[in-house]
Every structure is written in structure tokens, then in C-alpha cells.
Amino acid sequence: MLSSFIAYGVIPVYTLIFAGGSDWFASNLSVIGSLPGRRAAFFFLGIIIGLYYLLILRKLLACIPRHMTETFLLYTAFALLVFAVSTPYLPDSVPLQAFLHVVSAFSASVLLTLALCLTLRRLSSLSRSASAFLRPYRLSMAVIIAVSAALLFIVGIISSALEIYFIVTTTVLIQKMYANSGEISGSG
């Protein structure tokens, strides 16, 4: 299955290769992406991740009646991510663009997290068996949020370590949900 290959192979490996050779706790993917010769790789990384989230979460949302809020959050997060990876992070030479990049990237992550949490909640409300089946996924999402917050608090910046952790764990979580979506929608 192509989505499994992308979720378990392409996204984690490409993210790790992209961040390789940098200090994961003193830098972030935006800083790495602003280095000479890294802009296209950064843009490509953002597009792969964004399209993966968009396409797979849309399929999960199809199981939920009236999912306009989740869909709006998902598309807005995708648009903000595309804007962020196409806007250079060069605070010394273009501070306004750098500021817009930071706001867009952060907002995209927050909106994606919110969309994922709402999707989990709405899928869980389909039936008791769906709720029971999704309990480990909801717990995993809570752990992802807690560890991300801890990394932010400990390091004091949105670091590569935080970004890599968030990208890899949410991608795996979403892929596992998608792979088991028959269990979710068929448990009514």
C-alpha cells in the first residue's frame, strides 16, 4: 500500500535525512530549509507531509457525517503549511516574511493537531465499539501533544527534535487509523 510506504518510509527517512548534520535541539527545519541549496528540499518535504495529512485525513473524515469543521481546519492547515514552506525564513534580510513563515508554520501545526483531535473525537462518537477501538489512538494523540509540549518547554524553541517527533508520530498514528478504518466505520 502506497500510503504505508509513504508514512513508514518516505516521510520519516526524508525528514531525518533533511535534518541530518544539524543540532536538533538548537535549530529547526525552517532554519535548515533557509540554508543555501536546501530551499527546494524543504519545500518538497513540506508538500509531501502536507499532502499525506490532507489525503489520508480526508479519507478518515469520509466516515463522519457533517465534518465541515474538521475539513475546514485540515484545508486551512494545508494552505498555511504550503505558504510556510514557500516563504523563506530569513529573519536578517526579510524579517516580515520570516515572521509570516513562523506564524504560518506554527498555525498549520496547531490546526492540524486540532483537526486530528476532533476527527478522533467524532470517530469515537460513532458507536461504543468505535470509541473502545479508538481509545489507544486518543491516548497516543494525548501523549504526542504532551511530549511535544515538554520538548517545547525543555528546549525553549520549536526545535528540529520537536518537529521530527511531531511529524513522525502523527504520520504513524494517522496511517494506523487509516489502515484500521474498516474497524472504525464497521463497528456501528
Side-chain angles (χ1 to χ4, degrees):
M1 176 177 264
L2 181 60
S3 65
S4 293
F5 175 70
I6 292 169
Y8 302 134
V10 173
I11 291 175
V13 170
Y14 188 41
T15 304
L16 292 172
I17 290 171
F18 180 79
S22 66
D23 183 346
W24 289 9
F25 293 97
S27 186
N28 61 45
L29 299 181
S30 297
V31 171
I32 298 165
S34 69
L35 297 173
R38 302 300 295 268
R39 294 263 323 126
F42 181 60
F43 180 79
F44 188 60
L45 177 64
I47 296 302
I48 290 171
I49 293 167
L51 283 174
Y52 175 81
Y53 288 142
L54 181 69
L55 296 174
I56 300 302
L57 279 173
R58 274 187 39 216
K59 290 179 181 184
L60 288 169
L61 286 171
C63 301
I64 304 170
R66 296 175 307 280
H67 51 269
M68 282 189 8
T69 301
E70 295 84 355
T71 301
F72 174 77
L73 291 170
L74 180 59
Y75 277 94
T76 304
F78 179 72
L80 287 168
L81 178 62
V82 170
F83 180 79
V85 297
S86 59
T87 303
Y89 178 73
L90 301 168
D92 293 334
S93 57
V94 280
L96 178 60
Q97 284 182 337
F99 173 76
L100 292 173
H101 169 91
V102 169
V103 169
S104 298
F106 182 76
S107 298
S109 299
V110 169
L111 293 178
L112 174 69
T113 302
L114 195 56
L116 186 50
C117 288
L118 288 174
T119 301
L120 276 163
R121 191 188 83 193
R122 294 282 310 280
L123 286 169
S124 295
S125 71
L126 293 175
S127 68
R128 282 187 191 197
S129 57
S131 180
F133 180 80
L134 288 168
R135 188 171 294 120
Y137 296 90
R138 292 190 310 269
L139 178 60
S140 295
M141 193 63 210
V143 169
I144 290 169
I145 292 168
V147 171
S148 296
L151 281 168
L152 178 60
F153 179 74
I154 291 166
V155 179
I157 63 167
I158 296 175
S159 63
S160 293
L162 168 56
E163 292 170 319
I164 292 165
Y165 172 78
F166 181 82
I167 290 166
V168 172
T169 56
T170 56
T171 301
V172 168
L173 178 69
I174 292 168
Q175 181 58 36
K176 287 188 178 290
M177 286 174 56
Y178 174 64
N180 293 307
S181 59
E183 291 283 333
I184 298 164
S185 60
S187 58

